[in-house]
Amino acid sequence: MLTGVTSANQGVNLSAASRLQVTPSVRRRLSWRLRIGGLEMAEVMLFHHAQGLTPGVVAFADTLRRAGHIVHVPDLFDGRTFDDLETGMRYVEELGFGRVIERGERAVSGLPAELVYAGFSLGVVPAQKLAQTRAGARGALLFYSCVPVSEFGTAWPKGVPVQVHGMDADPIFVGEGDIEAARALVREAEEAELFLYPGDQHYFADSSLPSYDAEASALLTQRVLDFLATR
C-alpha cells in the first residue's frame, strides 16, 4: 500500500473544459465563469524534466486537462529529447541552468498571475522560482525534486500551498538533499505536504520511460487532482 507523509483526499471535479481551446484574452473570464457555475478549474504551468518534453509528460498534462484544467507545457529544449537522464543533464550543463530558468520565465509572459506552477525534477527549478517570486501564484507542485527556499528568497510566500512528491529510496531525491529541502519547506510553509512513495526510481510518473511505476503514479495523479480541485 502506498502512503504519503501527509494526505489530502478531496473530490475531483470533472468538466468538458479540457476540450476547449481558449485564447489569452478570454482565459480569465472563462475561468471565473466556470468557478461561478460551480465547477472548479485551475491554470497550470508544467515544466518537463531533463530528458525533455517526453510523451509521458504530455500524457500527464492531458490527464489534468481531462479533469477540466488549463495546462501549459512549454518545451524548454526546443524539441530535443534524450534517451537517459545523464545525456539530458549534459545538455542542461551546456545550456546552463540560468537559461533554463529564463526560458521558464518567458513561458509565463502574458499569462495570468493566478497560476499553479508544476515541474518534474529539472522543471522544479523554474516552477519553484516562479511560485516564490511571481505574485499571485495559486500553488506549486514539485515532482522528484525540491530546492532550498533560500535559493529564491527569504521565505516561502504566504498563501501559496505546495506539494512535494518523491520516492523514499530515490538516490537523487534522497541522496542529493532534495528530501531535506522538502522537509524544511513543509515545516515553514502554511500549507505544505511531502508525499513519499516506496521505490528507488526518479522519473516514476513518466509513463513513456522504463522508470515508470504505475501504482505510485496513479496515487500521485489523484493527489494532484485533489490539490487542483481547490485552487
Side-chain angles (χ1 to χ4, degrees):
M1 178 178 182
L2 295 172
T3 59
V5 174
T6 57
S7 64
N9 294 313
Q10 302 163 348
V12 179
N13 292 308
L14 302 179
S15 81
S18 60
R19 294 188 293 272
L20 297 177
Q21 297 297 318
V22 295
T23 64
S25 64
V26 302
R27 186 179 290 111
R28 288 184 182 178
R29 293 198 299 275
L30 176 59
S31 177
W32 178 81
R33 287 171 182 168
L34 284 173
R35 289 190 178 96
I36 291 297
L39 299 173
E40 294 293 335
M41 182 180 77
E43 186 160 2
V44 182
M45 175 59 69
L46 176 64
F47 296 108
H48 63 73
H49 50 66
Q51 286 184 235
L53 187 55
T54 61
V57 173
V58 174
F60 183 83
D62 286 341
T63 297
L64 305 187
R65 291 180 181 121
R66 285 193 294 272
H69 305 294
I70 295 173
V71 186
H72 308 276
V73 194
D75 187 342
L76 304 179
F77 290 175
D78 295 327
R80 295 177 178 86
T81 57
F82 302 94
D83 292 334
D84 53 66
L85 173 60
E86 293 74 18
T87 307
M89 285 306 300
R90 283 198 294 272
Y91 174 73
V92 171
E93 291 169 1
E94 295 172 5
L95 185 66
F97 282 94
R99 291 279 300 280
V100 172
I101 293 174
E102 289 172 6
R103 290 180 178 188
E105 290 174 324
R106 285 201 304 270
V108 303
S109 178
L111 294 179
E114 299 84 4
L115 297 176
V116 174
Y117 298 100
F120 291 106
S121 193
L122 172 70
V124 163
V125 179
Q128 187 171 332
K129 181 178 182 182
L130 288 163
Q132 287 189 228
T133 63
R134 191 172 188 247
R138 298 295 299 273
L141 295 163
L142 312 180
F143 306 120
Y144 323 143
S145 300
C146 185
V147 179
V149 170
S150 59
E151 289 291 323
F152 304 123
T154 58
W156 187 261
K158 292 185 180 298
V160 179
V162 56
Q163 288 185 350
V164 185
H165 299 258
M167 282 197 155
D168 60 7
D170 172 8
I172 298 175
F173 183 71
V174 175
E176 297 185 4
D178 296 70
I179 193 171
E180 296 306 325
R183 286 171 172 157
L185 174 56
V186 168
R187 290 192 296 268
E188 175 184 336
E190 294 175 349
E191 186 179 349
E193 296 167 301
L194 168 60
F195 294 107
L196 296 177
Y197 306 79
D200 60 1
Q201 297 301 311
H202 192 55
Y203 295 156
F204 68 88
D206 188 318
S207 61
S208 64
L209 299 179
S211 55
Y212 179 61
D213 184 313
E215 188 179 0
S217 180
L219 182 54
L220 177 150
T221 301
Q222 184 61 54
R223 286 167 167 165
V224 167
L225 291 172
D226 291 342
F227 179 90
L228 294 178
T230 64
R231 303 279 72 83

